[in-house]
Amino acid sequence: MAERAGLIVGIDLGTTFSLVSVVLPGDPKAVPMVIDNAMGEKLTPSVVALGEDGRLLVGAPAQAMATTHPDRVLRCFKREMGTDKTWTLGGSSFTPQELSAMVIKALVADAEAALGQPVTEAVVTVPAYFAGAQRRATRQAAELAGIPADRIINEPTAAAMAYGLHNLDKEQRAVVLDLGGGTFDVTVLEIIEGVVEVQASAGDARLGGEDFSEALARLLARRIAKEHGRDVTAHPHGWARLLEASERAKRRLSEVEETRLALPRLPLGPHMERDVELVITRADAEACWQPLLARIRDPIWRALRDGGITPSELDEVLLVGGATRMPVFVKEVAALCQRMPSRNLPPDEAVAMGAAVQAALKRGHAAVEDLVVTDVAPFSLGVAVVQAVGRQHLAGFFAPVLERGTVIPASRVKTFHTVNDGQDRLLIQVFEGEHSLVRENRELGQFELLQLDRAPAGQPVQVRFTYDLNGLLEVEMHVPHQQRTEILIIERTPGQLSPEELERARAAMAELKFHPRDALPNATALNRAEALYVELTGTPRSILGEAMAAFRLALEGQVDAEIDQARAMLLHTVAHFS
Ligand code: AMP
């Protein structure tokens, strides 16, 4: 197969962090490389903020504003993908797609700067648990960023590809556990001679590392309340600072048994600030995480059961996602899966690396041609039916047509029957979910079949569901005795932009003023310094103030060498007092 021109990158669009990776054309081993952003970091925070100069910031400089200007910082928008939620920033309103598009744009700019070539396409990953609407919204985000992404793949599948490529000659059954910032995905897979087959997936779309940070912050807030008699959670600025400190403490507790948090002048109420110091042990943290840890068990059991596998049959337990670095998570998983998990790849990079492998496959990279991936439907898809209970008919039951775990692309047909004599119409309502009652599942669309022949009850209607690799659904209804077929394509679901809205959003995106990429390290350094300045007092504060003033002066002077020197000095000072 020939290689096409232009780079196709793999993008892990995460809740807290995103990454971009590429397999360089011509690399004989097809090793995915994770690309550094303008700050020289591999992880770009999935954060958008409005800078002081009125321009938008994406990534680290935006993240650094979270404590000083929480009202101007937007994060965790991935959780709202596929919904109608919007956020307001600087007088404009933004959808989850638009905010995600800004992150994708930033990653693509980093890839182009690092590789010196235009990026023409992307493979973007989504949690296995993303439903159709969320997958379509993700594809729209890429379109808005000006980068077509016609392959949207599951994060665990991508991780499997990253691992599969490294283990081509081994045959194994594995479970991939991905605890990222906002989602937990469990995937059971089989790798045989380069073919990675996803056998089952389950998860919790609202459980992630952020919840562990927040649980820790709440524990600390209770201690602060005991000591100072004030509820810091009621004070947005104080709560934002405590959350940030808890995030840092959580990471430190992955390495050490005990850590100390210093929060000078923590706002605890109107006109009330206190110097707060707390010591937290790993054991304290692990105790407060028990309810969260309990929530990881269920999806693991469900995925193993759906995949028809017992823990003793597993050859590998693979961990991906930054939050799997928590020792208590590893301990819990080792007990559940009856074996120590392996982490051959950096846990936060595996998904992006797998997406890059998929991108290489798409562009026809010779070394990955043999690698085939199959995916499974994340939810059951079906229709609402009436059930006979004795002589009564009860409505609102769910009849799955294409079941969760079916390897996709797939097409399944089921025959339904009219329930009333002389019935001349039939409402087909399409749902996704696992509950026996449709009201507990999500409605995706409906179609009313009219002008049926007025015949006795029991007339057949065949309903065929065709589900493609990107999670798009086509519903075909066939009335055999009328030789008639109707088609419903599930397109417009909540949170999806119509073609006109997409065009308008694209035009609006072109109008937005972003901070220039080469000035991002400067903005980041200043924002990080500002955030620390709030926390410091006394001499450290004035030393930092001086370094900040020197840096601002250098920025005004516009001499690159002087700016670089003053920035290095400022970052050194920030690191020293952090
Ligand atoms: P991801 O989206 O996969 O990058 O995961 C990000 C999540 O991993 C965040 O909630 C981080 O707090 C968490 N995380 C990253 N590094 C560590 C660490 N060393 N210990 C505990 N959690 C971590």
Side-chain angles (χ1 to χ4, degrees):
M1 201 191 288
E3 292 199 355
R4 272 182 273 141
L7 287 172
I8 311 182
V9 294
I11 291 180
D12 170 5
L13 192 61
T15 309
T16 37
F17 290 102
S18 296
L19 297 90
V20 58
S21 175
V22 72
V23 171
L24 284 178
D27 173 359
K29 292 207 173 120
V31 178
M33 171 176 106
V34 178
I35 296 166
D36 285 355
N37 61 24
M39 260 61 63
E41 293 157 350
K42 295 195 186 333
L43 275 64
T44 295
S46 307
V47 181
V48 172
L50 185 67
E52 279 173 28
D53 58 2
R55 288 186 293 192
L56 288 165
L57 292 162
V58 179
Q63 167 99 319
M65 287 176 61
T67 43
T68 47
H69 302 90
D71 52 326
R72 289 215 237 146
V73 178
L74 305 180
R75 352 171 20 206
C76 290
F77 31 85
K78 178 177 174 181
R79 287 190 172 176
E80 306 298 335
M81 281 298 244
T83 72
D84 287 325
K85 184 177 163 97
T86 55
W87 291 261
T88 308
L89 195 62
S92 306
S93 146
F94 296 106
T95 62
Q97 286 100 314
E98 288 169 315
L99 296 168
S100 304
M102 294 178 201
V103 176
I104 295 175
K105 246 176 132 81
L107 295 172
V108 165
D110 289 332
E112 290 181 337
L115 303 167
Q117 284 185 59
V119 169
T120 49
E121 237 180 292
V123 170
V124 183
T125 59
V126 294
Y129 249 50
F130 257 25
Q134 294 159 298
R135 284 163 200 264
R136 284 190 285 278
T138 304
R139 173 130 26 83
Q140 288 193 333
E143 269 178 56
L144 282 177
I147 296 293
D150 48 71
R151 281 296 271 136
I152 300 286
I153 64 171
N154 283 341
E155 288 163 8
T157 303
M161 292 188 76
Y163 276 98
L165 190 62
H166 292 245
N167 299 306
L168 274 181
D169 51 341
K170 274 198 244 164
E171 177 179 327
Q172 49 191 334
R173 299 180 94 181
V175 62
V176 180
L177 304 173
D178 180 351
L179 188 66
T183 53
F184 178 48
D185 290 326
V186 183
T187 309
V188 174
L189 54 100
E190 206 168 54
I191 307 164
I192 306 170
E193 290 175 17
V195 178
V196 183
E197 184 165 313
V198 179
Q199 305 209 301
S201 59
D204 186 334
R206 295 197 173 259
L207 176 67
E210 303 247 311
D211 299 295
F212 287 77
S213 305
E214 194 180 320
L216 194 58
R218 293 201 182 278
L219 170 73
L220 298 175
R222 284 196 293 277
R223 290 204 190 156
I224 293 170
K226 222 184 228 170
E227 202 168 310
H228 300 274
R230 293 290 169 143
D231 178 14
V232 60
T233 65
H235 199 281
H237 186 50
W239 177 234
R241 274 186 64 199
L242 186 60
L243 265 179
E244 216 201 10
S246 304
E247 167 70 27
R248 283 199 302 266
K250 178 186 77 175
R251 288 174 189 237
R252 279 200 300 273
L253 289 174
S254 293
E255 313 298 325
V256 295
E257 290 289 337
E258 184 177 294
T259 186
R260 196 178 65 90
L261 288 82
L263 293 153
R265 297 179 53 202
L266 184 70
L268 293 178
H271 314 294
M272 184 183 176
E273 289 177 344
R274 288 280 183 279
D275 291 343
V276 173
E277 264 201 42
L278 299 156
V279 172
I280 180 115
T281 65
R282 190 186 280 175
D284 292 339
E286 291 180 355
C288 88
W289 290 334
Q290 283 309 314
L292 295 172
L293 290 166
R295 284 169 62 192
I296 72 168
R297 283 169 214 149
D298 208 39
I300 294 179
W301 287 126
R302 194 143 54 90
L304 290 177
R305 198 190 53 221
D306 286 357
I309 186 170
T310 60
S312 61
E313 291 169 310
L314 284 171
D315 298 302
E316 289 276 7
V317 177
L318 310 176
L319 299 188
V320 298
T324 61
R325 288 205 173 93
M326 287 184 294
V328 70
F329 180 85
V330 178
K331 227 181 333 180
E332 185 76 25
V333 162
L336 282 170
C337 298
Q338 299 167 22
R339 63 181 304 120
M340 272 314 277
S342 52
R343 283 176 288 172
N344 303 337
L345 301 176
D348 9 55
E349 296 175 28
V351 169
M353 289 166 82
V357 174
Q358 172 68 56
L361 177 65
K362 191 158 190 290
R363 97 193 280 287
H365 197 296
V368 289
E369 229 173 307
D370 294 340
L371 189 67
V372 182
V373 179
T374 59
D375 237 326
V376 294
F379 292 99
S380 299
L381 296 159
V383 294
V385 291
V386 167
Q387 267 187 9
V389 183
R391 299 171 79 193
Q392 267 188 319
H393 281 136
L394 290 181
F397 289 93
F398 181 57
V401 175
L402 198 148
E403 281 190 285
R404 177 183 81 223
T406 306
V407 173
I408 53 174
S411 192
R412 293 282 184 281
V413 66
K414 222 171 185 173
T415 305
F416 298 94
H417 300 90
T418 56
V419 289
N420 297 318
D421 290 338
Q423 185 173 339
D424 66 346
R425 57 184 61 195
L426 182 66
L427 181 66
I428 308 277
Q429 285 172 288
V430 179
F431 287 86
E432 69 178 0
E434 309 309 326
H435 205 278
S436 63
L437 299 176
V438 290
R439 66 158 193 267
E440 299 293 329
N441 295 329
R442 263 177 308 277
E443 180 164 358
L444 299 180
Q446 50 173 268
F447 189 90
E448 190 159 30
L449 272 175
L450 298 170
Q451 293 170 339
L452 297 176
D453 295 337
R454 291 176 183 275
Q459 296 306 309
V461 174
Q462 291 167 352
V463 178
R464 176 180 290 280
F465 278 23
T466 305
Y467 199 41
D468 78 5
L469 271 173
N470 296 306
L472 300 184
L473 177 66
E474 185 184 284
V475 181
E476 191 185 289
M477 293 144 284
H478 180 65
V479 189
H481 59 278
Q482 290 185 328
Q483 298 200 333
R484 170 177 153 206
T485 301
E486 306 280 354
I487 288 182
L488 166 69
I489 295 190
I490 308 282
E491 268 178 344
R492 173 81 193 153
T493 40
Q496 213 195 348
L497 305 176
S498 66
E500 302 80 54
E501 285 169 330
L502 197 63
E503 206 33 65
R504 266 204 304 278
R506 207 179 280 141
M509 186 73 91
E511 294 293 304
L512 293 174
K513 298 263 177 296
F514 287 93
H515 211 84
R517 181 178 179 278
D518 53 4
L520 286 179
N522 296 341
T524 310
L526 259 186
N527 290 349
R528 283 183 181 158
E530 289 287 2
L532 182 64
Y533 190 82
V534 173
E535 291 194 29
L536 296 178
T537 50
T539 313
R541 190 174 221 202
S542 50
I543 293 174
L544 180 64
E546 279 165 30
M548 286 164 75
F551 183 51
R552 285 188 199 278
L553 197 67
L555 284 176
E556 274 174 31
Q558 298 186 356
V559 179
D560 284 348
E562 284 172 16
I563 294 175
D564 289 349
Q565 197 186 1
R567 189 182 59 235
M569 193 61 212
L570 179 62
L571 287 175
H572 181 77
T573 314
V574 168
H576 182 74
F577 291 123
S578 287

